Amino acid sequence: MYNDDVLMSGLTELGLNPTAEQIAQLHTYYEMMVATNEVMNLTAITEYEEVCVKHWLDSLCLVKAISVDKLNTPLRLIDVGTGAGFPGIPLKILFPSLKVTLMDALGKRIRFLEEVVAALGLSNVTCVHGRAEELGRNTQYREQFDLCTSRAVTRMASLTEFCLPLTAVGGAMVAYKSQDCEEELTEAAKAIRTLGGNLEDTVKFTVPNSDFGRSLIVVRKEKATPAKYPRGGGKPMKSPIL
Ligand code: SAM
């Protein structure tokens, strides 16, 4: 029913060798996303091969920054502003050992994700409705994650204040950015330093089977985030640390 040539060759290029069950989980996820998209705005991309490349392969490109061996361990990963589940769900499907928290400010997207998690039979996945800047002040979430991913949420200076408070000392945040990210990275330098981070790497590549250039910005959490961050009242967005 599905032509998975593009998906399979892309996964091979990323060094991934999925089981038939994992591919079936991706199919079910696709079907649920497209059906729900009729009644709720989840994604502008619905054509199967385009979803394979722009959502799944793109999400799984995390292997360019974090090794497959590490992703096959029970790392605590939080996906900030996960939306329809990107990159968090494809990562959980391909790396079932991960302990994944999917977080978004929109409750209806979180309810959709709860249905996906149940339908796919995924364990160790928590779906949380909330704002990153609020969860970052809650001890249940603050500095509790080894990895904090985020794609297409906001500019780096603001995103750092969403992600670094959630990241444990020794862990890292990984921001999915476009290839030209130098300007926003320069703008974020003070926020990264202030929040206890250190820019470790900017990994640039093209997503398999596309001409889409990406950067993954890896910020290591070296010191605890000062207690006054993250700030409330929309400040990380309206007046980022510059
Ligand atoms: N990460 C997904 C992707 O790449 O397809 C969704 C990207 S969508 C453009 C941005 C998402 O971030 C939305 O679902 C929105 O509700 C969420 N978001 C924006 N600000 C947020 C915040 N402060 N805390 C949590 N989620 C937030």
Side-chain angles (χ1 to χ4, degrees):
M1 178 178 168
Y2 293 101
N3 181 343
D4 280 320
D5 294 352
V6 166
L7 175 64
M8 295 309 284
S9 70
L11 290 172
T12 302
E13 190 180 324
L14 294 176
L16 301 174
N17 184 18
T19 63
E21 192 199 343
Q22 287 168 323
I23 295 297
Q25 286 175 317
L26 288 173
H27 291 164
T28 303
Y29 180 28
Y30 172 74
E31 283 155 16
M32 292 181 79
M33 188 173 73
V34 171
T36 307
N37 209 42
E38 298 283 325
V39 292
M40 180 193 302
N41 180 17
L42 285 176
T43 175
I45 301 165
T46 53
E47 192 269 318
Y48 184 66
E49 284 194 358
E50 212 181 343
V51 169
C52 289
V53 173
K54 294 190 179 162
H55 283 327
W56 298 341
L57 294 175
D58 185 38
S59 295
L60 295 166
C61 279
L62 186 63
V63 300
K64 303 263 184 193
I66 309 289
S67 73
V68 168
D69 283 352
K70 273 204 186 127
L71 291 171
N72 276 320
T73 65
L75 291 179
R76 299 162 299 172
L77 181 152
I78 187 164
D79 189 23
V80 168
T82 189
F86 305 112
I89 295 254
L91 288 168
K92 175 64 191 178
I93 291 175
L94 269 287
F95 300 103
S97 304
L98 292 174
K99 294 181 173 170
V100 172
T101 300
L102 303 168
M103 186 261 275
D104 202 277
L106 267 188
K108 58 185 182 173
R109 294 198 173 134
I110 289 300
R111 284 191 289 281
F112 163 72
L113 291 172
E114 283 167 347
E115 285 172 19
V116 171
V117 167
L120 302 189
L122 299 174
S123 56
N124 283 320
V125 180
T126 309
C127 302
V128 183
H129 174 212
R131 302 199 68 82
E133 60 274 42
E134 282 158 19
L135 296 188
R137 290 198 300 271
N138 175 336
T139 51
Q140 201 187 332
Y141 300 99
R142 187 179 176 89
E143 301 191 327
Q144 294 302 310
F145 297 91
D146 305 301
L147 264 183
C148 177
T149 55
S150 195
R151 186 184 84 159
V153 172
T154 183
R155 67 207 256 214
M156 194 63 192
S158 304
L159 191 65
T160 306
E161 195 167 345
F162 287 172
C163 292
L164 280 179
L166 295 164
T167 307
V169 173
M173 73 173 266
V174 183
Y176 286 61
K177 291 289 175 187
S178 60
Q179 199 131 45
D180 300 324
C181 62
E182 274 67 30
E183 213 170 294
E184 64 171 303
L185 199 45
T186 306
E187 186 197 64
K190 184 172 175 192
I192 292 174
R193 226 177 24 250
T194 305
L195 297 164
N198 186 32
L199 177 64
E200 184 171 280
D201 208 354
T202 304
V203 188
K204 294 192 184 235
F205 55 88
T206 304
V207 175
N209 294 329
S210 80
D211 54 7
F212 179 48
R214 245 268 168 256
S215 303
L216 289 179
I217 300 176
V218 184
V219 177
R220 184 67 51 190
K221 177 88 172 258
E222 293 197 331
K223 287 185 280 191
T225 297
K228 70 174 186 173
Y229 300 107
R231 297 162 298 158
K235 283 202 181 121
M237 298 284 277
K238 281 186 273 181
S239 50
I241 305 165
L242 297 177

